[in-house]
Amino acid sequence: MELWDLYTVERERTGRTMVRGDKIPEDFYHLVVHVCIFNSKGEMLIQQRQPFKEGWPNMWDITVGGSAVSGDTSRTAAARELFEELGIELSFEDKRPSLTVHFPSGFDDMYLVEKDVDLSELKLQYEEVQSASWRSEEGILDMIDAGEFIPYKKSLIKLLFAMRDSMGGFMREDTKLR
């Protein structure tokens, strides 16, 4: 049984928990994290979900993601998910989410990381992940069109690629255009 902490709209922990799969009580929220790893070629590491995985079976997804469990912070949840699903150890101690997306029942912190990862060294979590690959922005958008990738809004995928080497929503004068 997996427990989630419940938060207020101001993102404060309430001290209450809920069981994963139960309906989130009205006026409470839970925390989700995603990590997007980009290589030095500007490609994103993506994973293919197992055919028996509940929710989006066989679909491709961004690098990793999942709900924070009770006691997790956003950072510890990001590190845990990355290690559990792909076997990648990375400290998020000095990282902040590049973007937080609000959805009706929670907050989704998205971490953008640049790291060259050798696919042959990944340790895929059998219960969740069947395959991993590197894809360009255009490649992911094509996969969304083909119905092979979880149907994120294309504008979100474009934003993740645009923000991959910066924090915030503006470009400094010394930032090179791609």
Side-chain angles (χ1 to χ4, degrees):
M1 172 175 62
E2 186 174 290
L3 292 179
W4 293 346
D5 288 321
L6 292 173
Y7 294 81
T8 67
V9 71
E10 289 87 19
R11 200 176 164 140
E12 297 166 342
R13 268 195 197 137
T14 64
R16 292 181 56 185
T17 59
M18 63 166 287
V19 175
R20 178 187 186 129
D22 287 354
K23 186 177 186 306
I24 296 172
E26 190 173 335
D27 297 326
F28 289 93
Y29 304 87
H30 83 287
L31 176 63
V32 173
V33 296
H34 279 90
V35 179
C36 300
I37 296 181
F38 295 90
N39 63 18
S40 55
K41 297 178 191 175
E43 300 166 315
M44 185 192 293
L45 180 61
I46 62 173
Q47 63 157 286
Q48 187 178 25
R49 297 166 66 88
Q50 286 285 15
F52 49 81
K53 177 84 172 121
E54 189 176 323
W56 311 110
N58 277 323
M59 299 287 279
W60 287 87
D61 196 355
I62 59 181
T63 310
V64 296
S67 291
V69 296
S70 184
D72 272 346
T73 65
S74 175
R75 292 177 182 136
T76 60
R80 179 183 49 74
E81 288 290 337
L82 190 57
F83 183 73
E84 284 178 359
E85 293 185 16
L86 299 178
I88 298 172
E89 288 189 67
L90 186 65
S91 172
F92 285 79
E93 194 170 297
D94 64 342
K95 294 180 180 14
R96 294 186 315 159
S98 296
L99 180 68
T100 298
V101 177
H102 297 255
F103 59 99
S105 60
F107 315 96
D108 188 349
D109 285 347
M110 304 188 100
Y111 292 86
L112 308 181
V113 175
E114 185 160 324
K115 182 176 179 63
D116 287 315
V117 175
D118 184 343
L119 296 178
S120 68
E121 294 179 10
L122 295 177
K123 295 177 182 97
L124 306 181
Q125 181 183 24
Y126 175 76
E127 297 80 11
E128 302 241 357
V129 183
Q130 67 174 298
S131 186
S133 183
W134 290 104
R135 285 293 191 284
S136 66
E137 177 181 342
E138 296 78 22
I140 292 173
L141 297 176
D142 288 346
M143 292 174 81
I144 290 172
D145 286 339
E148 300 168 347
F149 205 92
I150 290 178
Y152 291 101
K153 292 182 179 187
K154 289 182 177 183
S155 57
L156 176 62
I157 298 299
K158 291 176 182 181
L159 180 61
L160 295 173
F161 273 86
M163 291 182 66
R164 73 179 182 269
D165 56 3
S166 65
M167 287 290 282
F170 66 94
M171 212 165 59
R172 296 188 335 243
E173 289 181 28
D174 62 341
T175 304
K176 293 180 183 177
L177 292 174
R178 296 193 243 301

